[in-house]
Amino acid sequence: MANTWLPPVEYVATLPRATAYACLYFTDTGGRPFQLRATYHSGTWQWPGGNMDPGETPWETAVRECREETGIVFTGEPRLLGTHFTTDRGDAWPANHIGFVFDGGELTDEQIAAVVLDPEEHDAYDLRTLEEWEREMDPAEFACLAAIDRARRTGTPVYLEAGPGER
């Protein structure tokens, strides 16, 4: 089959759809991961972050979403811990979803005490050991948490995939 050149607008229309999100991964000074409990998705635990707005970079999204969801104004430098790819899930999310997980570093006790949640998105936050999170979380979601935590400790970013039915 011969290759046919298409103008960019037409070519892009032939490509798979994808959306993107970005978030910050924090721990306390004892190394316990910090997560927020979503008011949607049946109380799923997640990191401060969300979907990219038009014109934003992943880093800008992570910092903005963190501020909106927790009140934490993050001023550190971008350090990518991992990317996360989720396939098109039909009606649940009709596009591929690509995530960027950045290192937020360690939160002090004062920063944790000052967290203010957006009640429309999250109803609680918590810090737990990995063993404690494993008992609380869906196995696929915990695997993602454990991989990101390992990436932080080793300095080696990870690439994660989730298939149909996984988040």
Side-chain angles (χ1 to χ4, degrees), residues 25-33 106 127-130 149 152:
Y25 176 71
F26 293 103
T27 62
D28 66 2
T29 56
R32 297 180 304 165
E106 293 181 347
L127 293 128
R128 301 179 188 181
T129 65
L130 284 175
D149 188 76
R152 153 89 83 68

Side-chain angles (χ1 to χ4, degrees), residues 13-162:
T14 70
L15 299 175
R17 290 178 41 91
T19 58
Y21 74 92
C23 55
L24 287 169
Y25 176 71
F26 293 103
T27 62
D28 66 2
T29 56
R32 297 180 304 165
F34 172 83
Q35 295 199 92
L36 311 174
R37 187 172 62 199
T39 57
Y40 50 92
H41 294 309
S42 305
T44 298
W45 290 94
Q46 55 193 209
W47 304 307
N51 290 319
M52 289 174 56
D53 285 344
E56 275 186 326
T57 67
W59 177 244
E60 291 167 339
T61 299
V63 171
R64 173 186 56 78
E65 286 281 346
C66 180
R67 185 186 71 254
E68 291 174 2
E69 294 179 351
T70 66
I72 296 170
V73 178
F74 188 76
T75 59
E77 295 294 318
R79 180 175 169 237
L80 186 67
L81 294 177
T83 57
H84 181 234
F85 178 84
T86 305
T87 59
D88 181 330
R89 298 178 312 223
D91 291 342
W93 194 267
N96 295 327
H97 203 43
I98 303 165
F100 300 85
V101 184
F102 294 99
D103 190 354
E106 293 181 347
L107 296 173
T108 65
D109 292 343
E110 293 78 22
Q111 288 172 307
I112 294 164
V115 167
V116 176
L117 298 178
D118 175 351
E120 292 186 19
E121 292 195 51
H122 302 97
D123 62 5
Y125 67 87
D126 208 351
L127 293 128
R128 301 179 188 181
T129 65
L130 284 175
E131 294 77 21
E132 291 167 332
W133 281 121
E134 186 173 20
R135 291 191 293 272
E136 176 74 21
M137 298 175 71
D138 168 85
E141 291 172 356
F142 176 75
C144 186
L145 168 64
I148 292 298
D149 188 76
R150 186 172 49 257
R152 153 89 83 68
R153 286 184 286 103
T154 64
T156 303
V158 295
Y159 170 74
L160 306 165
E161 287 188 6

